[in-house]
Amino acid sequence: MKDFSHLDSEGAARMVDVGEKSVVRRTATAEGYVTLSPETVRLLRERALPKGDALNTARIAGVMAAKRTPELVPLCHGVNLTSVDVDFELGEDRVGIRATARARDRTGVEMEALAAVSAAALTIYDMCKAVDRGMAIGGVRLVEKTKEPL
């Protein structure tokens, strides 16, 4: 059986030591979506929801979640984020969410990108729940991750 890097010899969870790895430029992109009614999409598009501009608020929530990922995921390292972008694509009955996290560090930023998408989706859900009880969050996944020398 393959050794798991996050378990010690006794099987206890541990944080991996990345201290000897080189600092490189790292990028990760994640995506997901929220399905909702066409009427709710119209309200989002027109910024006419009772709670206000959900997409702008969700963008901020996504950035904040990326910055706080080590507080949410127990064995995740804090990384030196250089940017986090959160973008939305409005469809007929869904909002597509795409987040890209960038850092210069010793370990990847995929968890930060995934946290950004997840928090943005939860924020959209929260801000739309008064007008749409049939929403669903789905498809949260890592799309790409890269690393390149500085």
Side-chain angles (χ1 to χ4, degrees):
M1 185 162 110
K2 183 182 178 211
D3 290 332
F4 290 101
S5 62
H6 286 74
L7 299 177
D8 67 14
S9 62
E10 303 295 317
R14 67 177 180 90
M15 181 180 253
V16 174
D17 183 356
V18 296
E20 298 302 315
K21 293 175 80 176
S22 298
V23 173
V24 297
R25 185 177 296 113
R26 296 175 181 270
T27 303
T29 300
E31 67 183 13
Y33 58 85
V34 180
T35 57
L36 23 67
S37 72
E39 174 62 15
T40 306
V41 172
R42 182 187 67 76
L43 293 170
L44 277 168
R45 192 174 270 119
E46 295 174 3
R47 296 183 175 125
L49 288 162
K51 287 189 170 185
D53 185 349
L55 297 182
N56 193 45
T57 305
R59 180 174 287 111
I60 294 166
V63 171
M64 290 175 65
K67 291 166 52 174
R68 300 188 87 161
T69 300
E71 294 176 33
L72 302 170
V73 182
L75 301 178
C76 192
H77 292 85
V79 295
N80 184 22
L81 286 171
T82 58
S83 71
V84 178
D85 297 316
V86 180
D87 296 302
F88 306 100
E89 184 177 329
L90 291 160
E92 183 179 316
D93 65 348
R94 75 169 42 189
V95 177
I97 306 163
R98 189 172 183 93
T100 300
R102 294 176 188 84
R104 292 180 179 201
D105 219 309
R106 291 175 166 84
T107 189
V109 291
E110 55 269 38
M111 297 309 298
E112 286 75 8
L114 289 161
V117 168
S118 299
L122 288 168
T123 301
I124 291 167
Y125 192 102
D126 178 58
M127 294 188 72
C128 295
K129 68 186 178 193
V131 297
D132 192 338
R133 297 287 184 186
M135 293 179 292
I137 294 170
V140 178
R141 67 188 189 99
L142 181 67
V143 176
E144 177 182 42
K145 71 177 191 173
T146 64
K147 66 179 179 179
E148 55 189 72
L150 293 177

